[in-house]
Amino acid sequence: MRPENSSATKKAPIGKIVFIIIPAFALCAILAIFSIQNIGEVRIDFLGWNLDTHLGTALLLSAACGFLISSILSLIIRFRPRE
């Protein structure tokens, strides 16, 4: 017999899953529309690198890099040893 409180019987509530999935799909739809609307070509020159790409791609890439950098800094601050 298994106890009723075992980890094998615990399931995530449906409300939590829906609360995460619906905004994720909405964000994906917004990002897709944003990328489709910003199809103009741009040239990016950065530290000797030259890149020709669509404006939407460049903006999404810069936003992703900003998110990644802020996430890493947040983790460093969170897990830094306290004095």
Side-chain angles (χ1 to χ4, degrees):
M1 288 177 94
R2 287 187 182 170
E4 291 181 24
N5 293 347
S6 72
S7 62
T9 60
K10 289 185 182 179
K11 295 182 180 178
I14 263 310
K16 260 187 183 178
I17 294 170
V18 170
F19 184 72
I20 292 171
I21 289 178
I22 290 177
F25 279 131
L27 181 62
C28 288
I30 290 169
L31 291 176
I33 292 168
F34 175 78
S35 294
I36 291 169
Q37 288 181 346
N38 291 293
I39 58 171
E41 289 283 327
V42 293
R43 179 172 178 88
I44 300 171
D45 297 314
F46 180 70
L47 296 176
W49 293 346
N50 299 319
L51 178 67
D52 292 321
T53 186
H54 296 286
L55 178 61
T57 304
L59 291 172
L60 289 175
L61 182 62
S62 65
C65 288
F67 174 77
L68 183 64
I69 290 169
S70 65
S71 296
I72 290 171
L73 290 176
S74 175
L75 287 174
I76 289 171
I77 291 170
R78 179 177 289 174
F79 294 113
R80 183 178 50 184
R82 307 241 184 230
E83 295 178 8

